[in-house]
CSV table of all heavy atoms in Angstrom, one decimal:
chain,number,residue,atom,x,y,z
A,601,TYR,N,-3.8,-21.5,-35.5
A,601,TYR,CA,-5.0,-21.8,-36.3
A,601,TYR,C,-5.3,-20.6,-37.3
A,601,TYR,O,-5.6,-20.8,-38.4
A,601,TYR,CB,-6.2,-22.1,-35.5
A,601,TYR,CG,-6.0,-23.3,-34.6
A,601,TYR,CD1,-6.6,-23.3,-33.3
A,601,TYR,CD2,-5.3,-24.4,-35.0
A,601,TYR,CE1,-6.4,-24.4,-32.5
A,601,TYR,CE2,-5.2,-25.5,-34.2
A,601,TYR,CZ,-5.7,-25.5,-32.9
A,601,TYR,OH,-5.5,-26.6,-32.1
A,602,ILE,N,-5.1,-19.4,-36.8
A,602,ILE,CA,-5.4,-18.2,-37.7
A,602,ILE,C,-4.3,-18.2,-38.8
A,602,ILE,O,-4.6,-18.0,-40.0
A,602,ILE,CB,-5.3,-16.9,-36.8
A,602,ILE,CG1,-6.5,-16.8,-35.9
A,602,ILE,CG2,-5.3,-15.7,-37.8
A,602,ILE,CD1,-6.4,-15.7,-34.9
A,603,GLY,N,-3.1,-18.6,-38.4
A,603,GLY,CA,-2.0,-18.6,-39.4
A,603,GLY,C,-2.3,-19.7,-40.5
A,603,GLY,O,-2.0,-19.5,-41.7
A,604,HIS,N,-2.8,-20.8,-40.0
A,604,HIS,CA,-3.1,-21.9,-41.0
A,604,HIS,C,-4.1,-21.4,-42.0
A,604,HIS,O,-3.9,-21.6,-43.3
A,604,HIS,CB,-3.6,-23.1,-40.3
A,604,HIS,CG,-2.6,-23.9,-39.5
A,604,HIS,ND1,-2.9,-24.8,-38.5
A,604,HIS,CD2,-1.2,-23.8,-39.5
A,604,HIS,CE1,-1.8,-25.3,-38.0
A,604,HIS,NE2,-0.8,-24.7,-38.6
A,605,VAL,N,-5.2,-20.9,-41.6
A,605,VAL,CA,-6.3,-20.4,-42.4
A,605,VAL,C,-5.8,-19.3,-43.4
A,605,VAL,O,-6.2,-19.3,-44.5
A,605,VAL,CB,-7.5,-20.0,-41.6
A,605,VAL,CG1,-8.6,-19.4,-42.5
A,605,VAL,CG2,-8.0,-21.2,-40.9
A,606,SER,N,-4.9,-18.5,-42.9
A,606,SER,CA,-4.4,-17.3,-43.7
A,606,SER,C,-3.7,-17.8,-44.9
A,606,SER,O,-3.6,-17.1,-45.9
A,606,SER,CB,-3.6,-16.4,-42.9
A,606,SER,OG,-2.3,-17.0,-42.7
A,607,VAL,N,-3.1,-19.0,-44.9
A,607,VAL,CA,-2.4,-19.5,-46.1
A,607,VAL,C,-3.4,-19.8,-47.3
A,607,VAL,O,-3.0,-19.7,-48.4
A,607,VAL,CB,-1.6,-20.7,-45.7
A,607,VAL,CG1,-0.8,-21.3,-46.9
A,607,VAL,CG2,-0.6,-20.4,-44.6
A,608,ASN,N,-4.6,-20.0,-47.0
A,608,ASN,CA,-5.6,-20.2,-48.0
A,608,ASN,C,-5.8,-18.9,-48.8
A,608,ASN,O,-6.1,-18.9,-50.0
A,608,ASN,CB,-7.0,-20.5,-47.4
A,608,ASN,CG,-7.2,-22.1,-47.5
A,608,ASN,OD1,-6.5,-22.8,-48.2
A,608,ASN,ND2,-8.2,-22.5,-46.8
A,609,ILE,N,-5.6,-17.7,-48.2
A,609,ILE,CA,-5.8,-16.4,-48.8
A,609,ILE,C,-4.6,-16.2,-49.7
A,609,ILE,O,-3.5,-16.0,-49.2
A,609,ILE,CB,-6.0,-15.3,-47.8
A,609,ILE,CG1,-7.1,-15.6,-46.8
A,609,ILE,CG2,-6.2,-14.0,-48.4
A,609,ILE,CD1,-7.1,-14.7,-45.5
A,610,ALA,N,-4.9,-16.0,-51.0
A,610,ALA,CA,-3.8,-16.0,-52.0
A,610,ALA,C,-3.0,-17.2,-52.1
A,610,ALA,O,-1.9,-17.2,-52.5
A,610,ALA,CB,-3.0,-14.7,-51.8
A,611,GLY,N,-3.6,-18.3,-51.6
A,611,GLY,CA,-2.8,-19.6,-51.5
A,611,GLY,C,-2.7,-20.2,-52.9
A,611,GLY,O,-3.6,-20.1,-53.8
A,612,ILE,N,-1.6,-21.0,-53.0
A,612,ILE,CA,-1.4,-21.7,-54.3
A,612,ILE,C,-1.0,-23.2,-53.9
A,612,ILE,O,-0.1,-23.4,-53.2
A,612,ILE,CB,-0.2,-21.1,-55.0
A,612,ILE,CG1,-0.5,-19.6,-55.3
A,612,ILE,CG2,0.1,-21.8,-56.3
A,612,ILE,CD1,0.7,-18.9,-55.9
A,613,TYR,N,-1.8,-24.1,-54.5
A,613,TYR,CA,-1.4,-25.5,-54.4
A,613,TYR,C,-0.3,-25.8,-55.3
A,613,TYR,O,-0.3,-25.5,-56.5
A,613,TYR,CB,-2.6,-26.4,-54.7
A,613,TYR,CG,-3.8,-26.2,-53.8
A,613,TYR,CD1,-5.0,-25.8,-54.3
A,613,TYR,CD2,-3.7,-26.5,-52.5
A,613,TYR,CE1,-6.1,-25.7,-53.5
A,613,TYR,CE2,-4.8,-26.3,-51.6
A,613,TYR,CZ,-6.0,-25.9,-52.1
A,613,TYR,OH,-7.0,-25.7,-51.3
A,614,GLN,N,0.8,-26.4,-54.8
A,614,GLN,CA,2.0,-26.6,-55.6
A,614,GLN,C,2.3,-28.1,-55.7
A,614,GLN,O,2.1,-28.8,-54.8
A,614,GLN,CB,3.3,-26.0,-54.9
A,614,GLN,CG,3.1,-24.5,-54.7
A,614,GLN,CD,4.3,-23.9,-53.9
A,614,GLN,OE1,5.4,-24.4,-54.0
A,614,GLN,NE2,4.0,-22.9,-53.1
Side-chain angles (χ1 to χ4, degrees):
Y601 299 143
I602 295 176
H604 288 166
V605 173
S606 76
V607 179
N608 263 346
I609 305 168
I612 301 173
Y613 297 120
Q614 303 174 31

